[in-house]
Amino acid sequence: MPRWSVFPTGLRLGCTQTCPRRWLSSTRSVLAESSQRWGDTLRLPKTTFPLYNDPSKDSKLQHKTTEGLYRWQWEHAEGPLFVFHDGPPYANGDLHMGHALNKILKDIINRYHVSLGHRVNYVPGWDCHGLPIENKVLKQLGVEINQLTPSQIRGEAEKFARSEVASQMEQFRQLGIMADWSPETTYRTLDPKYELRQLEIFKNMVEKGLIYRQHRPVHYSPSSRSALAEAELVYNDKHVSHSVYVSFQLDPANPQMSDTLRALTAGREKVTLLVWTTTPWTLTANMAIAVNPEMRYRIVSIKDSSAGALDAGESIVIYAADREGALREIPGLLPPPVVPLGEVDGADLVGATYRPIFASRPVSLSSSASLPIIPSSHVTRDSGTGLVHCAPAHGAEDYAVMQALGLIRTSSSAKVATSVSPATAADLVCHVNGLGQFTEDVAEVVGQEAAQRLAGKDVLDQGGREIVALLTENGALRKIQRFKHRYPYDWKTDKPVIVLATSQWFANLDNIKEDAIAALQDVSFVPAISRNRLESFIRSRSEWCISRQRVWGVPIPALYHLPSNSAVLDSDSLTHIMSVLHEHGPRYWWDGPVSAFVPPSRREGMSDAQLEENWQKGTDTMDVWFDSGTSWSLLNELYANPVGSNQGGKVHKRTFGADVCLEGSDQHRGWFQSQLLTAIGSATNAERARAAPYSTLITHGMVLDETGKKMSKSLGNIVSPMTVIHGGKGKNEKAYGPDILRLWAATVEFGKDMSIGPTMLQQCAETMRKIRNSSRFILGSLGDRPYANKVERADLGLAERYVLHRLHRLDQVARAGYEAYNFPQVINELSYFANITLSSFYFDINKDCLYAERENGIERRRVLTVLDEVLTTMTKVLAPVLPHLAEEIHATLHGPDASSVFTTPWAPLPDDYVDPKAEEEMEKLLRIRSKVFVLLEQARKDGNVKSSLSADVAMNISSATTSDIIDLLGREENTLKALFGVSGVSLSDRTVDEVAPTWQYKETLEVEGTEIELAVRPAALQKCPRCWMYTRHEHDELCKRCTDVVRP
């Protein structure tokens, strides 16, 4: 086999940090003294693009890529319509990291669609009503709620909400969010037009029979002074209640007592029912005791040792047989000896009666009447005593059981939506007011003396303690225990709630939830498992308490007829009321006279003065989830609207308002659900009644600190988005700018809880530095302008075809990542391409070519052709996540007055860039390269090599072997020394004798059956003072390549 040497034109590759480099510079490099005069002949990269910069500080650039871009695309984009519906954040306080994550994720999605040429509809909004704003206003003014009129509170609340909207809007702008922030292209739930749309939706639900009023138990927050829906509750697993075991005395005179029970208790003076409750304050409202008819109950005799017992001696106690083991383990509850007297079925207890627990106190005769023992399947063997105290004013299950048995009267059913008469308080026994305090009416149960100790006391605090004291005095208390359990809290005030019977407005969900579930079958969920969460929430709800006892909110426009004590809310009344509100505005409900709202059909010839005496306007406001839930109506005109929805020349029919909604996972029980229910519930045709208002729902988790803990002021671990952008006073609070924060949002797996902190931000900053550095090198090589003198694809070398193949993969992977909302996939692929394919490979092997080759030589033109394509595609890939960086690159390349980088659609790369053969061949060469680098490192450690350029590589291949690898090495002879970073490469037959060099390092590897012996040895020629390659003959001034370039 003949011997030949491979001496291609140029490269300098530093394979370690000790290798000399000629790196990017905006000024002339300082060359070694001996070659300084050749410095001006090199084409070192020059660019105005800095390595470190925060382009968001450029107000012109920032406007170009945010408000200016949104307006431009809305006016000029010709692609299909893409609607991203913004869930409104609450207008109270500065942005937290959850806000930042939420808005950035939305913006990435929107920008991706703009980059494809789509027409994006995105209208930012704010939720502006509710108690937190009321409380904040009262706190700022330093007054109690009763010191201001409702009108004054509403006025102050509106001013506060608008100021908070302005503050949050400015902070959202600093995140680089693409939106038109003008009043016409944003929304607030306090806007009159918004409120009127909401009231029209409410009217539709009334007309469909879905709204009704009822006096019944609901979750009620004393701290908010309002009823709460299930979606407004959070559950505290560490709540501690003071539970009690108490005794109710069986009434022996009841003729309805079963024969079995009567026989077992005959002649016994004191037969008691053992009951356990975690809410002793509800015992004043006891109306029954429930047992399970299918359970067995044990009757035992014990020594009466209850605290404060009025008489000592034997006491007969009844409890569930299955609970005896657990009850005996409680010290003092069942003191020995426990003498069994017999067992009965729960059904044998039903029909018996018992004396009220406070009957021994001096009270009215009416409150001393015996109460029933009733059957109920909600009594279980799992806890308690098997006998359940029922206070239907304070328990939904108690209410349902007693209502089904006809023991309490109800005022309406879910099927009635016209005029209804509310139940009076007498229907249910309830002695607790809206402040969560006992009322003076409790005297009806405990007597006047004891009532003085209870009235005005909080039932969850001192009032509850007084009840325990009364039970002790009565001899009814058998045991008190601290009990840690899961308990509902007000999600706004983080304080415990109670269950309280109040007159509220409800939406019937039983009639629409099957349609809602069916509508969700056409909705995509990200992550997919979140579908189960939303569907389960909807299936578990039968009704929605939509009324709130708050001042600041949208009114429930019900009229109350005082003479008949009835509420009027029907199609006729609402049609008239809505006509008045459309004329005068929704605030007129609060400020206008009631006579203006009474419909003609109910005026009965009365004058305005008479109407004022006979009618009253409702003061309840709507649940804020109803407020924000009706925001889909902003998009109502987009349903089936073909404008901007052409795809491939065909009309793209829309059956939904929003293509995408994205919020935190807590919104499955909040905004996602309330949107769906109000849309389905108010639909006026069959098609809309089974169509969700959105096509895709995306949820993200909670942002935690770097250790995985929830952020809180008490822990001092809050990471503010504004501090990340602008820096803070803390040691680790550097100013990173918005793109670093956006990069963090794109690198986390947002579908679950994620962390942020100094370490993660520093890692993102390093990723950004590498991306900027790669972009800067290309810009410098191109001279800050697009490259015009490109070569044809047929003229590209293997390295160029390989890089374009990898670029095509980046393009495809990035598109797939954006489409699937898998943003880490995009960033990981981009980082790999910038760090490995470019910096570690293509830049290194081509620096010598770019610096030292002839300006218009084919070798240099090949590289610049590829770099131009690489920069364009990289910029498109990173633009949705890093818009400021993308605009900075684009402005550097095309001038500061160029239009936004997003105005040119991101076109797919040609399929002919896909070149598996180039990838296969390059991977073979890279395997050899890795071995060469190992040998060079050994030579460096031994002191034989300082720069890899001072070495040559000899590749010895057996002449007896034939393989594609030999053809590849021969074909790519001009690539090898650049790839290895050495000055010369020789390929020879291993059988040829060679003169041994002064030093060499050898390694053998096999590639596709061909054994290759690699030898790193001293360079055969001298160092060229211009290119620093060891390719100059001893008596020549420059190497041949440099001579040809300098002296053509």
Side-chain angles (χ1 to χ4, degrees):
M1 178 177 179
R3 178 182 179 184
W4 71 90
S5 294
V6 182
F7 288 111
T9 57
L11 143 84
R12 179 166 59 263
L13 169 65
C15 57
T16 69
Q17 292 180 352
T18 60
C19 296
R21 293 178 177 269
R22 297 184 184 183
W23 194 237
L24 187 62
S25 174
S26 57
T27 61
R28 180 176 136 183
S29 296
V30 179
L31 303 178
E33 183 178 352
S34 61
S35 56
Q36 187 171 359
R37 64 193 178 100
W38 301 111
D40 290 339
T41 68
L42 296 173
R43 293 175 181 84
L44 299 179
K46 294 181 180 180
T47 179
T48 59
F49 188 86
L51 180 55
Y52 298 101
N53 189 37
D54 179 4
S56 69
K57 293 180 179 179
D58 182 337
S59 59
K60 181 179 177 181
L61 181 148
Q62 207 267 352
H63 176 80
K64 178 196 297 186
T65 199
T66 52
E67 292 182 72
L69 176 59
Y70 184 86
R71 292 168 184 161
W72 180 91
Q73 64 87 30
W74 187 247
E75 294 171 2
H76 297 92
E78 297 178 353
L81 180 66
F82 176 78
V83 181
F84 202 125
H85 185 35
D86 189 37
Y90 197 65
N92 184 18
D94 291 331
L95 302 187
H96 54 65
M97 196 55 72
H99 288 123
L101 173 75
N102 180 273
K103 275 293 194 290
I104 290 170
L105 292 176
K106 293 174 180 177
D107 193 59
I108 291 172
I109 296 169
N110 282 338
R111 287 180 180 275
Y112 169 66
H113 282 276
V114 170
S115 71
L116 297 181
H118 298 173
R119 189 169 186 246
V120 171
N121 176 294
Y122 177 66
V123 180
W126 280 268
D127 192 356
C128 300
H129 293 129
L131 184 73
I133 289 178
E134 274 188 41
N135 286 342
K136 184 64 73 74
V137 166
L138 294 173
K139 183 177 180 180
Q140 287 184 350
L141 295 175
V143 298
E144 296 295 327
I145 191 169
N146 56 6
Q147 294 178 271
L148 295 176
T149 66
S151 180
Q152 288 174 318
I153 293 175
R154 281 189 284 270
E156 293 295 329
E158 180 175 355
K159 286 195 297 184
F160 176 83
R162 290 191 180 279
S163 69
E164 292 297 287
V165 167
S167 173
Q168 290 187 1
M169 182 186 296
E170 178 54 33
Q171 294 175 61
F172 282 135
R173 277 187 164 120
Q174 295 176 52
L175 299 175
I177 305 302
M178 180 194 66
D180 185 346
W181 299 99
S182 60
E184 297 76 21
T185 49
T186 55
Y187 76 92
R188 291 143 293 277
T189 59
L190 58 73
D191 292 339
K193 288 183 179 179
Y194 187 100
E195 292 182 345
L196 289 171
R197 280 194 304 269
Q198 177 178 335
L199 288 167
E200 290 289 356
I201 289 170
F202 179 75
K203 176 176 178 287
N204 288 347
M205 294 179 70
V206 169
E207 291 173 342
K208 292 177 70 174
L210 296 176
I211 306 298
Y212 63 95
R213 183 172 171 82
Q214 199 169 57
H215 187 85
R216 54 161 299 167
V218 295
H219 284 109
Y220 188 91
S221 171
S223 57
S224 294
R225 299 181 184 180
S226 180
L228 300 179
E230 179 66 31
E232 295 175 290
L233 301 176
V234 294
Y235 286 85
N236 183 346
D237 293 324
K238 298 181 180 180
H239 179 83
V240 175
S241 295
H242 288 84
S243 66
V244 295
Y245 290 86
V246 294
S247 295
F248 289 81
Q249 277 195 273
L250 194 69
D251 183 0
N254 177 25
Q256 302 300 321
M257 183 184 296
S258 69
D259 293 340
T260 302
L261 180 61
R262 190 181 300 281
L264 288 171
T265 60
R268 308 287 181 173
E269 295 184 1
K270 189 177 180 182
V271 180
T272 61
L273 306 167
L274 185 61
V275 169
W276 175 70
T277 179
T278 60
T279 54
W281 58 271
T282 64
L283 289 169
T284 66
N286 173 263
M287 294 182 71
I289 289 177
V291 297
N292 191 319
E294 299 180 359
M295 288 171 54
R296 295 284 289 175
Y297 288 82
R298 186 156 293 166
I299 304 175
V300 301
S301 171
I302 63 171
K303 180 179 179 181
D304 194 344
S305 60
S306 58
L310 300 179
D311 56 334
E314 181 190 49
S315 180
I316 308 302
V317 181
I318 301 176
Y319 52 81
D322 289 337
R323 296 298 301 160
E324 183 172 64
L327 295 175
R328 286 201 178 198
E329 292 180 0
I330 300 172
L333 181 61
L334 297 175
V338 178
V339 181
L341 300 180
E343 288 189 5
V344 295
D345 288 329
D348 293 320
L349 295 175
V350 174
T353 57
Y354 62 93
R355 306 293 294 164
I357 200 165
F358 297 105
S360 61
R361 308 193 71 85
V363 294
S364 65
L365 294 177
S366 62
S367 63
S368 299
S370 293
L371 301 170
I373 298 177
I374 62 175
S376 177
S377 60
H378 85 282
V379 180
T380 68
R381 301 173 173 84
D382 299 332
S383 61
T385 66
L387 296 98
V388 174
H389 137 67
C390 293
H394 302 297
E397 287 181 314
D398 300 351
Y399 179 89
V401 169
M402 296 190 70
Q403 180 190 39
L405 294 173
L407 298 175
I408 53 176
R409 293 194 304 273
T410 58
S411 58
S412 61
S413 73
K415 297 180 181 180
V416 178
T418 56
S419 303
V420 297
S421 299
T424 64
D427 289 322
L428 298 175
V429 177
C430 182
H431 309 111
V432 180
N433 62 21
L435 299 177
Q437 300 171 344
F438 281 113
T439 65
E440 294 180 354
D441 293 342
V442 74
E444 297 173 358
V445 173
V446 301
Q448 289 292 340
E449 181 182 344
Q452 293 177 7
R453 296 162 56 182
L454 295 175
K457 301 290 179 59
D458 292 340
V459 297
L460 294 178
D461 192 19
Q462 189 59 37
R465 294 191 185 96
E466 288 293 342
I467 287 292
V468 173
L470 291 175
L471 293 170
T472 303
E473 295 169 13
N474 285 2
L477 181 68
R478 301 203 66 88
K479 187 71 177 179
I480 183 169
Q481 280 187 322
R482 286 171 57 86
F483 179 67
K484 185 167 74 172
H485 61 130
R486 195 167 185 257
Y487 193 86
Y489 275 54
D490 185 331
W491 82 315
K492 288 291 187 183
T493 63
D494 198 30
K495 293 184 178 180
V497 304
I498 60 176
V499 176
L500 181 66
T502 59
S503 293
Q504 302 292 341
W505 291 98
F506 296 86
N508 174 20
L509 303 182
D510 280 333
N511 290 356
I512 62 172
K513 64 182 180 182
E514 290 305 318
D515 283 343
I517 295 295
L520 289 179
Q521 305 317 302
D522 296 325
V523 176
S524 300
F525 286 78
V526 179
I529 196 172
S530 61
R531 173 188 298 276
N532 299 335
R533 181 175 169 85
L534 180 55
E535 289 185 356
S536 66
F537 275 128
I538 293 173
R539 284 195 175 96
S540 66
R541 296 183 73 180
S542 295
E543 61 188 13
W544 175 5
C545 180
I546 61 172
S547 54
R548 298 293 181 270
Q549 291 66 57
R550 294 170 183 160
V551 172
W552 176 230
V554 178
I556 294 179
L559 294 170
Y560 294 88
H561 187 236
L562 301 179
S564 64
N565 191 30
S566 63
V568 175
L569 185 69
D570 57 23
S571 179
D572 177 56
S573 69
L574 285 176
T575 298
H576 175 73
I577 289 169
M578 290 306 299
S579 68
V580 175
L581 297 182
H582 277 291
E583 180 180 354
H584 297 282
R587 309 296 163 82
Y588 193 64
W589 176 262
W590 306 117
D591 303 330
V594 68
S595 59
F597 298 101
V598 179
S601 61
R602 295 183 181 269
R603 296 179 72 92
E604 298 176 346
M606 287 187 283
S607 66
D608 287 351
Q610 290 173 314
L611 290 172
E612 295 290 337
E613 293 177 358
N614 286 273
W615 292 89
Q616 189 177 72
K617 293 178 295 182
T619 59
D620 287 345
T621 58
M622 290 190 197
D623 177 14
V624 292
W625 288 120
F626 200 100
D627 291 9
S628 60
T630 58
S631 62
W632 58 265
S633 62
L634 290 160
L635 311 175
N636 212 28
E637 70 278 5
L638 299 180
Y639 280 77
N641 185 345
V643 175
S645 299
N646 288 332
Q647 298 187 56
K650 298 180 180 179
V651 174
H652 173 59
K653 180 177 174 57
R654 302 179 64 86
T655 58
F656 47 82
D659 289 87
V660 173
C661 293
L662 180 152
E663 299 298 333
S665 57
D666 58 334
Q667 297 307 315
H668 289 119
R669 64 175 185 174
W671 187 62
F672 290 159
Q673 190 176 160
S674 63
Q675 272 200 97
L676 180 65
L677 296 176
T678 55
I680 300 294
S682 64
T684 55
N685 60 62
E687 183 180 11
R688 289 286 292 272
R690 296 178 70 86
Y694 35 64
S695 177
T696 299
L697 290 183
I698 307 173
T699 53
H700 62 77
M702 180 185 295
V703 182
L704 309 174
D705 75 0
E706 206 157 56
T707 65
K709 294 180 180 178
K710 184 178 179 180
M711 295 187 194
S712 69
K713 290 181 179 179
S714 60
L715 294 177
N717 62 344
I718 293 178
V719 181
S720 162
M722 293 300 104
T723 300
V724 172
I725 293 174
H726 303 295
K729 298 178 181 179
K731 178 181 177 182
N732 294 321
E733 294 179 337
K734 299 178 181 179
Y736 288 104
D739 272 4
I740 298 295
L741 184 58
R742 294 175 65 97
L743 185 57
W744 165 80
T747 56
V748 295
E749 295 183 28
F750 66 79
K752 55 187 179 182
D753 290 349
M754 67 223 80
S755 297
I756 189 172
T759 302
M760 298 189 71
L761 289 170
Q762 188 56 44
Q763 290 171 350
C764 290
E766 180 61 16
T767 299
M768 170 70 91
R769 186 191 67 80
K770 291 178 179 179
I771 294 173
R772 282 191 69 92
N773 209 13
S774 295
S775 303
R776 184 169 181 254
F777 179 84
I778 297 176
L779 285 167
S781 300
L782 296 174
D784 286 353
R785 60 184 181 275
Y787 188 62
N789 194 17
K790 296 182 179 180
V791 301
E792 297 296 327
R793 174 164 172 73
D795 295 325
L796 296 178
L798 173 62
E800 285 68 45
R801 290 187 287 113
Y802 169 72
V803 170
L804 290 180
H805 175 81
R806 295 294 308 184
L807 184 67
H808 189 278
R809 171 183 164 82
L810 168 64
D811 185 83
Q812 293 300 306
V813 170
R815 288 172 183 272
Y818 282 126
E819 291 287 349
Y821 312 107
N822 186 352
F823 307 137
Q825 173 180 303
V826 178
I827 300 304
N828 290 339
E829 190 69 20
L830 175 63
S831 296
Y832 182 90
F833 184 81
N835 299 337
I836 306 302
T837 305
L838 294 183
S839 293
S840 297
F841 169 66
Y842 198 62
F843 290 170
D844 269 339
I845 71 171
N846 283 302
K847 285 172 192 170
D848 178 79
C849 175
L850 290 169
Y851 300 168
E853 283 291 346
R854 191 183 308 277
E855 181 176 9
N856 293 317
I858 185 65
E859 296 87 353
R860 195 166 187 275
R861 287 175 56 209
R862 286 172 180 165
V863 177
L864 292 177
T865 297
V866 169
L867 291 183
D868 184 90
E869 189 71 71
V870 163
L871 185 62
T872 299
T873 300
M874 276 184 58
T875 305
K876 290 296 185 183
V877 168
L878 63 86
V881 176
L882 306 172
H884 301 99
L885 173 60
E887 297 288 8
E888 185 184 12
I889 294 171
H890 189 72
T892 303
L893 198 61
H894 298 280
D897 296 326
S899 59
S900 168
V901 65
F902 290 92
T903 60
T904 304
W906 178 6
L909 292 179
D911 288 339
D912 60 4
Y913 281 17
V914 180
D915 195 336
K917 183 173 179 60
E919 182 177 40
E920 178 186 356
E921 292 181 342
M922 184 54 69
E923 286 178 352
K924 294 175 185 176
L925 298 184
L926 290 174
R927 278 192 60 203
I928 301 173
R929 184 195 198 209
S930 296
K931 288 292 185 180
V932 170
F933 280 3
V934 171
L935 297 177
L936 285 169
E937 186 60 27
Q938 291 176 359
R940 183 174 291 105
K941 287 181 179 179
D942 292 343
N944 290 317
V945 168
K946 290 184 179 180
S947 165
S948 61
L949 295 176
S950 64
D952 287 346
V953 171
M955 302 175 65
N956 298 317
I957 303 175
S958 171
S959 60
T961 305
T962 59
S963 167
D964 290 341
I965 190 65
I966 297 179
D967 296 335
L968 172 63
L969 294 175
R971 187 172 69 251
E972 297 300 326
E973 59 179 354
N974 290 332
T975 305
L976 292 178
K977 75 173 183 179
L979 190 66
F980 299 159
V982 295
S983 287
V985 175
S986 61
L987 182 65
S988 63
D989 188 337
R990 292 181 59 183
T991 61
V992 177
D993 294 330
E994 294 182 342
V995 178
T998 56
W999 56 263
Q1000 70 175 347
Y1001 296 85
K1002 291 186 176 182
E1003 180 69 70
T1004 300
L1005 78 157
E1006 184 178 292
V1007 180
E1008 291 189 344
T1010 298
E1011 188 176 87
I1012 302 174
E1013 182 186 76
L1014 301 172
V1016 171
R1017 57 184 61 175
L1021 300 178
Q1022 305 299 311
K1023 181 177 181 180
C1024 173
R1026 179 176 180 268
C1027 68
W1028 295 1
M1029 298 280 288
Y1030 284 70
T1031 53
R1032 178 180 63 85
H1033 288 279
E1034 183 175 0
H1035 299 294
D1036 294 339
E1037 185 177 18
L1038 300 173
C1039 68
K1040 184 179 185 304
R1041 186 270 309 269
C1042 288
T1043 300
D1044 292 342
V1045 171
V1046 174
R1047 302 188 182 97

